[in-house]
Amino acid sequence: MDETTLAPTDLLDHESRQVRDLVDRTVGDESDPIARAVALFYAVRDGLRYEVYQSDLSRQGMRASAIIDRGFGFCIHKSLVYAAAVRAAGVPSRIVLGDVRNHLASPRLRELVGGDLFRFHCLTEVYLNDRWIRATPVFNKMLCRLYQIAPLDFDGVADSVYHPYDEQGRKHMEFVHWHGSFDDFPYELVVDGIRDAHPLLFENSQRTTAGSLEEEAADQRRLLARTEG
């Protein structure tokens, strides 16, 4: 661990007003690094809406400050905000990237992605108690309820990575390849990689197509209820 994992960057702009305000209102006078990291995990997990659609993937739109202003994004956006916020709180962080197979994606999302293999899923590592711990502040409670997935918790001690099964025992998400951990977000690698792997997901070169994951999840629930009934 070195100072680069605490430093602000163009995208992890933790000296910005938006990131500082998030940290101040979340942790207040709390001085314990674990408590600060845990509180910020839940603030990002449930305070920013998870949404794949209409997400901004421009450099400017992927700054932590811009994501906070917008109020939503998918795994990359939420992990960037968390990484920036914990750095502002004095906790070193890194970005972790991997390819995942999502067995519970909606039919429309599978069509746009080209299957169930999603490239460059993103989470965060934080340095606590002299070791790196993985945290995934991505799916908020509302979306988890719609997809019947137990939301991921984080205690600052154990890794928090996607559960392999949903509440009914069906496979949810499995990691098939790790790209590694990065002190700063490798913008070209990730955005170009997602665009090349999933071109139908994009409305234009810097924004994903329109839609709503919550609406798609609700539609799936209604269809399943009719089928079972």
Side-chain angles (χ1 to χ4, degrees):
M1 194 274 292
D2 57 43
E3 291 302 313
T4 61
T5 56
L6 277 171
T9 71
D10 181 41
L11 300 185
L12 302 177
D13 57 343
H14 68 66
E15 294 180 331
S16 64
R17 171 188 55 79
Q18 293 91 333
V19 176
R20 291 291 177 175
D21 286 349
L22 171 63
V23 173
D24 288 345
R25 66 174 178 266
T26 302
V27 303
D29 295 329
E30 176 61 62
S31 60
D32 178 64
I34 292 179
R36 292 164 76 87
V38 169
L40 286 165
F41 173 90
Y42 289 104
V44 173
R45 190 194 75 177
D46 296 322
L48 293 175
R49 181 167 54 89
Y50 180 86
E51 183 59 83
V52 172
Y53 300 118
Q54 282 294 288
S55 285
D56 191 343
L57 290 172
S58 67
R59 274 193 174 273
Q60 182 174 354
M62 291 186 70
R63 289 176 179 151
S65 56
I67 298 165
I68 293 171
D69 281 341
R70 196 162 58 248
F72 72 92
F74 58 98
C75 60
I76 293 170
H77 302 86
K78 297 187 71 168
S79 295
L80 283 169
V81 171
Y82 183 59
V86 293
R87 288 190 186 190
V91 177
S93 67
R94 299 190 301 206
I95 296 295
V96 182
L97 298 165
D99 299 338
V100 297
R101 197 172 299 281
N102 187 345
H103 296 273
L104 297 184
S106 69
R108 179 175 185 247
L109 188 56
R110 283 174 182 258
E111 181 180 350
L112 293 173
V113 168
D116 60 5
L117 182 64
F118 292 68
R119 296 292 308 279
F120 294 105
H121 176 61
C122 188
L123 54 146
T124 311
E125 284 183 332
V126 291
Y127 194 76
L128 297 167
N129 284 337
D130 299 320
R131 66 189 186 94
W132 288 103
I133 303 169
R134 290 185 172 179
T136 313
V138 175
F139 275 1
N140 53 285
K141 280 185 177 180
M142 173 61 74
L143 197 65
C144 286
R145 283 197 294 269
L146 289 170
Y147 276 99
Q148 296 182 297
I149 303 165
L152 278 175
D153 292 319
F154 181 57
D155 61 5
V157 177
D159 287 341
S160 173
V161 182
Y162 277 127
H163 301 297
Y165 299 96
D166 71 355
E167 293 174 346
Q168 280 68 51
R170 298 172 299 175
K171 281 187 176 181
H172 169 220
M173 185 172 287
E174 57 181 317
F175 289 86
V176 298
H177 176 72
W178 291 104
H179 295 281
S181 302
F182 301 83
D183 293 349
D184 194 10
F185 183 71
Y187 179 85
E188 286 83 6
L189 170 69
V190 176
V191 176
D192 290 348
I194 295 174
R195 191 183 298 117
D196 290 344
H198 313 301
L200 297 180
L201 187 59
F202 286 78
E203 175 182 277
N204 56 49
S205 63
Q206 297 184 327
R207 186 178 298 275
T208 57
T209 191
S212 168
L213 275 179
E214 291 187 1
E215 290 181 6
E216 289 179 9
D219 288 343
Q220 283 184 272
R221 292 283 297 278
R222 287 191 289 269
L223 179 61
L224 181 61
R226 288 198 298 269
T227 302
E228 293 177 344

